[in-house]
Amino acid sequence: MNAVHAGDVLAIYQAGIDEGNATFETVAPDWSAFDASKLPDHRWVALDDCDGRLLGWVAATAVSSLCVYAGVVEHSVYVHPEARGRGVGRLLLDTLIASTEAAGIWTVQSEIFPENTASLALHARAGFRVIGTRERLAQQHGVWRDVTLLERRSSVVG
């Protein structure tokens, strides 16, 4: 993922935001803020083999600047609404897992709204486990929302 993909990445992100069950964010950031927040070695896009259209993206962020957490990242994965159900999300997660394990990262985590059952199922198929529910974590449009905390521990790192 790089600046060439910026418009499509942010459009897919905004589509997820607009659906209401992807993030607490209300508007996608500009590219410079988005780019600065993601780890450069752990962000990927999926492109359509036929026309090169961007189908989805995955990106990781550090959970902490403390060195003891260097092997723990949080990630987001977004798939274009028209590309869902075609294995794009799984391909992106598998690619992220391979890149993080190659870099010595032992834990990949995410927080997902319980109502986002498709994302929870995708993550379960990719080896993530539910840690628990963070109740009333924050408000979205004036409504308190829970999130499900998931993690995937590497079987080859650590």
Side-chain angles (χ1 to χ4, degrees):
M1 177 193 304
N2 57 50
V4 170
H5 307 114
D8 291 331
V9 166
L10 295 177
I12 291 170
Y13 189 26
Q14 189 63 53
I17 290 169
D18 292 345
E19 289 175 343
N21 282 326
T23 178
F24 284 106
E25 296 293 334
T26 56
V27 64
D30 65 22
W31 177 252
S32 62
F34 181 92
D35 182 48
S37 70
K38 307 303 180 204
L39 297 171
D41 293 334
H42 307 295
R43 54 191 196 173
W44 306 94
V45 295
L47 303 175
D48 189 292
D49 287 338
C50 296
D51 61 13
R53 185 172 58 107
L54 198 140
L55 302 176
W57 60 268
V58 65
T61 59
V63 299
S64 175
S65 61
L66 295 175
C67 64
V68 296
Y69 293 110
V72 183
V73 297
E74 185 168 356
H75 83 285
S76 298
V77 59
Y78 284 79
V79 176
H80 191 287
E82 294 174 9
R84 293 181 187 153
R86 296 175 28 195
V88 174
R90 181 59 190 268
L91 172 67
L92 288 164
L93 280 180
D94 288 348
T95 302
L96 176 70
I97 290 164
S99 77
T100 55
E101 286 185 336
I105 292 171
W106 58 84
T107 301
V108 178
Q109 66 185 36
S110 189
E111 294 180 330
I112 300 172
F113 290 129
E115 297 83 2
N116 194 342
T117 56
S119 186
L120 290 170
L122 166 67
H123 283 80
R125 288 189 304 273
F128 285 76
R129 67 184 178 109
V130 173
I131 300 301
T133 300
R134 301 181 74 191
E135 296 177 353
R136 297 173 43 96
L137 182 65
Q139 289 189 24
Q140 182 186 46
H141 307 295
V143 177
W144 285 101
R145 299 286 305 263
D146 298 346
V147 296
T148 303
L149 176 62
L150 296 98
E151 73 173 13
R152 183 187 182 282
R153 293 287 180 108
S154 173
S155 60
V156 298
V157 178

